[in-house]
Amino acid sequence: MENNDNTAVKEPVVALENVVISYGGEPVLKDVSLRLEGGDFAYLIGKSGAGKTSLLRTLYADLPVESGVAKVCGFDVVNIRRREVALLRRKIGIVFQNFRLLPDRSVRSNLEFVLRATGWKKRNEIQAQIDKVLGAVGVADKADMLPTRLSEGQQQRVGIARAIINNPQLIVADEPTGNLDPVTSAEIMQLLLDINKNTGTTMLISTHDFMMMDRFPARVLVCENGGVTDTEN
């Protein structure tokens, strides 16, 4: 009998099963299983050295998976080929604690560098996309300034603009409020939540900022004892 059900089953954005992750030859996480669907927002917490950053790096293929099953944005990151890594990273936006902006280039040039590196060619489309994301994060008037002339909160907004510039499926943020004061931290967290709500981009936020977690409650994943505990389960 012909199947007339045309409803597509969407794959999860992140699906890890019994994943083992090592760093420097030593196992950091020994049994990680988690699943993030499209539009999910989750915090990742745990003590220093528990493996939070290692887990995030694994998701964008910056750290290899020793064993297990790991699929991210449609890619098998256990067996990913080098030429596929760039394609995976076009689907992932990364926000760092220390911003990692190029200090000798303007905000606009920082974002143009990312777009050209990921295959954008037409100058008018590049400039339009830059203007769009800078407006979305509230720093449209800073486009021609050097990052060093911006406040830390403004630099993080630019970092978030860089993360969303290719319309990613997934954003991973490693302590995005770690260098910020409480007021600015709240503004950045609200911005990430707004992006999640308005675009459906899946978010995984590593943090020690329990004040922000109380203010903006969401699902919590805990790195502990070599694994990840999901508080939803």
Side-chain angles (χ1 to χ4, degrees):
M1 181 182 294
E2 183 178 349
N3 185 356
N4 293 319
D5 184 2
N6 294 321
T7 303
V9 177
K10 291 186 178 180
E11 291 187 357
V13 175
V14 175
L16 308 183
E17 295 180 15
N18 307 119
V19 164
V20 175
I21 302 168
S22 296
Y23 181 73
E26 295 293 327
V28 178
L29 292 167
K30 296 173 286 187
D31 184 18
V32 178
S33 296
L34 70 90
R35 185 181 179 104
L36 295 173
E37 307 287 349
D40 280 357
F41 188 104
Y43 295 114
L44 180 66
I45 66 171
K47 295 179 180 179
S48 296
K52 300 185 300 299
T53 297
S54 295
L55 176 57
L56 297 185
R57 289 177 61 193
T58 296
L59 299 183
Y60 53 89
D62 193 46
L63 200 62
V65 176
E66 296 290 330
S67 62
V69 177
K71 294 186 178 180
V72 181
C73 299
F75 288 84
D76 176 1
V77 298
V78 178
N79 302 300
I80 196 167
R81 299 174 183 175
R82 182 171 297 188
R83 59 184 172 82
E84 293 178 318
V85 172
L87 299 176
L88 167 66
R89 291 179 183 171
R90 290 180 195 178
K91 296 187 175 186
I92 300 176
I94 307 168
V95 181
F96 301 99
Q97 178 179 349
N98 59 355
F99 322 131
R100 295 198 189 180
L101 301 172
L102 301 172
D104 59 343
R105 300 190 184 202
S106 69
V107 167
R108 184 178 297 279
S109 293
N110 265 269
L111 299 185
E112 183 173 347
F113 177 83
V114 174
L115 289 176
R116 292 196 181 277
T118 53
W120 291 60
K121 303 292 185 185
K122 296 182 179 180
R123 182 167 179 78
N124 63 326
E125 293 179 358
I126 288 172
Q127 298 308 319
Q129 183 69 357
I130 291 170
D131 290 340
K132 176 183 175 182
V133 296
L134 289 179
V137 301
V139 287
D141 58 336
K142 311 298 182 185
D144 298 317
M145 295 180 66
L146 293 175
T148 52
R149 301 295 300 275
L150 304 180
S151 70
E152 290 184 332
Q154 290 167 340
Q155 289 183 65
Q156 192 59 292
R157 286 176 180 270
V158 175
I160 293 170
R162 178 184 56 197
I164 66 173
I165 201 161
N166 274 310
N167 303 310
Q169 288 180 256
L170 170 67
I171 287 178
V172 296
D174 195 359
E175 299 284 352
T177 63
N179 289 334
L180 306 177
D181 63 82
V183 173
T184 306
S185 293
E187 292 173 352
I188 293 300
M189 194 60 68
Q190 184 64 62
L191 175 59
L192 291 169
L193 283 160
D194 288 345
I195 292 168
N196 168 254
K197 179 180 178 180
N198 294 333
T199 68
T201 305
T202 302
M203 299 264 184
L204 182 59
I205 314 295
S206 170
T207 186
H208 285 107
D209 196 338
F210 294 105
M211 186 189 319
M212 289 302 105
M213 292 173 60
D214 287 340
R215 182 167 178 177
F216 304 102
R219 179 181 175 188
V220 178
L221 306 171
V222 185
C223 269
E224 59 184 356
N225 303 321
V228 175
T229 303
D230 190 340
T231 59
E232 275 199 347
N233 297 329

